[in-house]
Amino acid sequence: MSTIEEVKCLIIGSGPAGYTAAIYAARASMNPVLYQGTQPGGQLTTTNEVENFPGYPDGISGPEMMVQLQAQAQRFNADIRDGWVTKVDFSGPIHKVWVNDEKEIHAQTIIISTGASAKYLGLDSEQHYLKLGGGVSACAVCDGFFYRNQEVVIVGAGDSACEEAHYLSKMCKKVTMLVRTDKFRASRIMEERVRKTENIEILTNTSTVEVLGDGQVVTGVRVKNSVTSAEHDIPATGFFVAIGHQPNTAIFKDFITLDETGYIVNVPGTSKTNVAGVFVAGDAADHVYRQAITAAGTGCMAALDAERYLASQE
């Protein structure tokens, strides 16, 4: 029988939200234990250049920034560990968590910062250039700046795809929007906005066959019309995927209130969930902003809320 570990503050997940929570919790003598999860550093590790996080005038790579945040948390003796949470039980006053299906932890407070994962088309060529940082992105606000005065392609038909296409249109020479069916899923107002934008070309009934490139960077996109079966190539230096995000929250669904798409519902203006002593930070609850800086801000909120909760229990 393995021994049960008891901790004051357990942080699940290791992006900007988790590490910021760890920094605040450690400085408040809460002795936080943080499990990094299946993608240490979170979504930011797929971003080559981060230029919009305050305090880095020359920009920084996503992975490097996560290494620095981890080091900052460890400076205050936050216990950062490999491994991921595979099961939870929040039914009683003690919050129980299992790591890698074996180790059992009982935590007085828990901060969920498991984030969300961008959905991709799953093409080999898309994944190749995504991993290289060679022109595939799931965040126009993060990466659009690098494609100023260039031609880009964006895939998606919902509100966020329209929003990202419109955002890109302000800096890119041309934006080609690929809509898989004959109609948008977006609200009428968002659809009208992209239709009225001169440098956005909309191709309906069009799917992506392959992301083209020279092995290092994207040079175009091969598309197929589902009505005529005709294929053609669109020259582009950037390929943006805007087909949604999946919050990494499935293991909490029996205890924590989620919205219809799986995002954790927090008490407005706080990091509190429906379970006392369990808090949420970052993209696991945020489907609107999804930025490193907003995630870090909510990580701070969660640590402060957890600290106040612990004080109230004494």
Side-chain angles (χ1 to χ4, degrees):
M1 176 68 190
S2 64
T3 54
I4 292 166
E5 183 181 5
E6 300 197 356
V7 303
K8 250 189 188 176
C9 178
L10 177 70
I11 300 168
I12 306 172
S14 59
Y19 285 137
T20 304
I23 291 164
Y24 273 81
R27 286 173 50 97
S29 303
M30 289 159 68
N31 308 321
V33 171
L34 180 150
Y35 278 95
Q36 292 180 303
T38 50
Q39 189 183 15
Q43 285 188 90
L44 226 65
T45 54
T46 64
T47 306
N48 263 22
E49 281 299 313
V50 181
E51 292 192 333
N52 52 11
F53 199 98
Y56 294 98
D58 301 320
I60 186 170
S61 82
E64 193 186 349
M65 184 179 174
M66 290 303 102
V67 168
Q68 290 188 11
L69 281 182
Q70 179 178 336
Q72 191 173 348
Q74 285 171 317
R75 183 183 145 208
F76 303 112
N77 297 321
D79 185 348
I80 312 285
R81 301 177 184 176
D82 287 336
W84 55 91
V85 171
T86 45
K87 191 174 104 173
V88 302
D89 181 358
F90 299 159
S91 59
I94 298 165
H95 309 113
K96 299 175 186 173
V97 166
W98 286 263
V99 178
N100 299 348
D101 284 326
E102 47 197 36
K103 184 177 176 59
E104 187 176 341
I105 294 177
H106 291 181
Q108 290 174 268
T109 59
I110 288 181
I111 294 171
I112 298 169
S113 53
T114 47
S117 302
K119 293 179 186 170
Y120 291 97
L121 300 175
L123 301 170
D124 290 345
S125 54
E126 167 200 57
Q127 293 302 306
H128 173 81
Y129 291 106
L130 174 69
K131 288 189 179 83
L132 281 180
V136 173
S137 169
C139 181
V141 175
C142 315
D143 299 326
F145 181 80
F146 302 113
Y147 300 93
R148 278 168 309 169
N149 304 317
Q150 297 173 42
E151 298 189 4
V152 299
V153 171
I154 184 167
V155 177
D159 275 352
S160 58
C162 289
E163 205 167 299
E164 300 220 323
H166 188 253
Y167 180 86
L168 290 167
S169 73
K170 291 188 227 165
M171 57 193 79
C172 299
K173 195 156 68 179
K174 182 183 177 187
V175 179
T176 304
M177 193 170 184
L178 308 181
V179 179
R180 278 182 289 195
T181 61
D182 60 354
K183 54 178 170 292
F184 281 82
R185 284 184 295 114
S187 57
R188 177 58 60 85
I189 190 164
M190 294 304 289
E191 181 182 343
E192 286 303 312
R193 186 180 291 172
V194 292
R195 288 194 182 280
K196 282 182 183 152
T197 307
E198 281 181 16
N199 62 337
I200 297 179
E201 181 184 358
I202 298 161
L203 301 179
T204 54
N205 297 313
T206 303
S207 57
T208 309
V209 178
E210 191 184 349
V211 180
L212 308 171
D214 62 5
Q216 293 299 309
V217 295
V218 172
T219 57
V221 181
R222 181 162 297 152
V223 300
K224 180 178 182 175
N225 184 299
S226 58
V227 178
T228 65
S229 293
E231 293 187 8
H232 76 280
D233 295 351
I234 302 169
T237 50
F239 181 69
F240 289 85
V241 186
I243 56 174
H245 286 73
Q246 184 63 47
N248 306 319
T249 56
I251 59 164
F252 307 113
K253 69 177 188 302
D254 293 339
F255 307 99
I256 299 288
T257 305
L258 309 177
D259 73 8
E260 65 279 2
T261 45
Y263 287 94
I264 291 174
V265 178
N266 57 301
V267 177
T270 77
S271 66
K272 295 173 187 173
T273 67
N274 60 298
V275 177
V278 178
F279 307 91
V280 63
D283 288 14
D286 174 18
H287 51 84
V288 180
Y289 300 104
R290 296 200 296 258
Q291 299 298 302
I293 189 72
T294 48
T298 57
C300 159
M301 290 164 63
L304 295 176
D305 285 343
E307 185 188 0
R308 286 173 191 149
Y309 173 82
L310 285 171
S312 75
Q313 298 298 297
E314 283 170 9

